[in-house]
């Protein structure tokens, strides 16, 4: 009986947290984008501008294929996860400070605040990536994914990675202002190690293990294997 009561209590707590996270997401949308017109569509529109703009630019100025793979697909499969990670990081900075008054409510926890922001950014980026990918496939610049299971697995791992980074840097930014100031610099300096614009097998063998130290590289390699199949 005790196990049954504990499971029921756990179910109730999870249900409460789901409602809390949903309320925090809606509050974040209204606070960030306003309640009038279609401001909330920027949840989707901002990542589309980033991902679509970079994909169009790289497709225009780079060769159509690189290492036998289409350039548009390389950019889309790399920049969508990169945008997810960077947006989760940027919106996690000082998240507790800006939402500190909400912690007065017992049901609202620091974890729920970070999860709400991470889920919002991940959802917007995934939807934007889906629209950009569908547009590229429709226009003939990309082909449909070869292995959907591997693609979804890579995206799932990258969601967890982005959420974990958001939790870590949210806490660090509250402990030191240096983290907040250095976040933009660190984000740009880490671009070569994310695997967004290159693949591990393009590098000399003796340097590949440096790239494999980054969890982001593993995730993006899995996404590209799902997209390109055994050619990746």
């Amino acid at each position: 009986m005790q196990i049954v009561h504990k499971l029921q209590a756990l179910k109730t707590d999870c249900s409460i947290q789901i409602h809390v996270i949903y309320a925090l997401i809606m509050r974040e949308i209204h606070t960030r984008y306003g309640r009038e017109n279609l401001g909330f569509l920027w949840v989707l529109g901002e990542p589309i501008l980033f991902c679509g703009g970079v994909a169009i630019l790289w497709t225009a100025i780079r060769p159509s294929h690189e290492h036998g793979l289409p350039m548009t697909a390389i950019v889309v499969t790399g920049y969508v996860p990169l945008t997810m990670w960077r947006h989760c990081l940027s919106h996690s900075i000082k998240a507790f400070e800006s939402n500190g008054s909400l912690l007065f409510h017992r049901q609202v926890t620091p974890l729920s605040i970070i999860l709400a922001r991470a889920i919002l950014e991940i959802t917007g980026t995934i939807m934007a990536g889906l629209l950009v990918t569908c547009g590229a496939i429709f226009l003939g610049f990309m082909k449909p994914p070869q292995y959907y299971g591997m693609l979804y697995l890579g995206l799932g791992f990258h969601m967890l990675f982005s959420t974990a980074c958001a939790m870590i840097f949210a806490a660090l930014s509250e402990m030191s202002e240096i983290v907040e100031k250095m976040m933009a610099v660190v984000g740009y300096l880490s671009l070569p190690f994310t695997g967004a614009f290159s693949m591990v097998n393009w590098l000399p063998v003796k340097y590949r293990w440096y790239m494999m130290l980054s969890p982001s590289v593993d995730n993006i390699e899995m996404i590209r294997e799902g997209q390109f199949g055994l050619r990746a």
Side-chain angles (χ1 to χ4, degrees):
M1 291 297 293
Q2 290 182 352
I3 296 177
V4 174
H5 288 308
K6 289 181 179 180
L7 290 176
Q8 290 178 345
L10 179 61
K11 181 180 178 181
T12 302
D13 291 341
C14 290
S15 177
I16 291 174
Q17 284 303 308
I18 290 173
H19 285 86
V20 168
I21 291 173
Y22 175 76
L24 289 173
I25 290 174
M26 298 307 298
R27 179 183 183 275
E28 185 70 21
I29 292 175
H30 293 155
T31 302
R32 194 184 304 178
Y33 304 109
R35 298 173 181 268
E36 299 178 357
N37 300 324
L38 298 177
F40 67 93
L41 287 181
W42 277 108
V43 175
L44 178 62
E46 188 177 359
I48 284 180
L49 291 178
F50 276 109
C51 301
V54 172
I56 292 172
L57 182 62
W58 276 59
T59 302
I61 66 176
R62 299 292 293 270
S64 61
H65 286 70
E66 190 165 320
H67 296 271
L69 299 176
M71 176 56 62
T72 304
I74 293 173
V75 176
V76 171
T77 54
Y79 203 76
V80 170
L82 176 63
T83 302
M84 180 192 302
W85 176 70
R86 293 183 64 183
H87 281 200
C88 285
L89 280 187
S90 62
H91 289 289
S92 68
I93 302 299
K94 294 295 183 181
F96 302 138
E97 182 177 309
S98 58
N99 292 276
S101 60
L102 297 177
L103 295 174
F104 173 79
H105 303 282
R106 186 177 61 179
Q107 293 84 359
V108 179
T109 64
L111 178 61
S112 60
I113 291 174
I114 295 301
L115 285 179
R117 290 197 169 197
I119 290 172
L120 179 60
E121 299 305 325
I122 288 171
T123 303
T125 306
I126 290 295
M127 293 176 65
L130 179 62
L131 290 177
V132 171
T133 301
C134 290
I137 293 174
F138 178 77
L139 295 174
F141 291 100
M142 285 180 63
K143 293 182 178 180
Q146 299 295 312
Y147 303 117
Y148 285 94
M150 184 61 69
L151 176 67
Y152 297 151
L153 189 61
L155 284 173
F157 279 128
H158 200 74
M159 292 176 192
L160 293 176
F161 172 67
S162 301
T163 304
C165 288
M167 292 180 182
I168 293 171
F169 282 94
L172 292 177
S173 65
E174 296 294 334
M175 298 172 61
S176 173
E177 292 186 1
I178 296 178
V179 176
E180 179 185 5
K181 303 301 181 184
M182 293 294 295
M183 198 62 250
V185 177
V186 172
Y188 279 108
L189 292 178
S190 62
L191 287 180
F193 303 100
T194 60
F197 301 111
S198 62
M199 297 188 67
V200 174
N201 62 355
W202 296 356
L203 303 175
V205 176
K206 62 180 180 180
Y207 297 123
R208 291 178 183 176
W209 74 276
Y210 290 106
M211 291 287 288
M212 295 304 295
L213 293 175
S214 170
S216 175
V217 173
D218 290 307
N219 301 335
I220 295 178
E221 290 282 318
M222 293 173 69
I223 293 171
R224 284 180 171 148
E225 182 178 351
Q227 173 64 35
F228 300 119
L230 298 179
R231 295 184 300 159

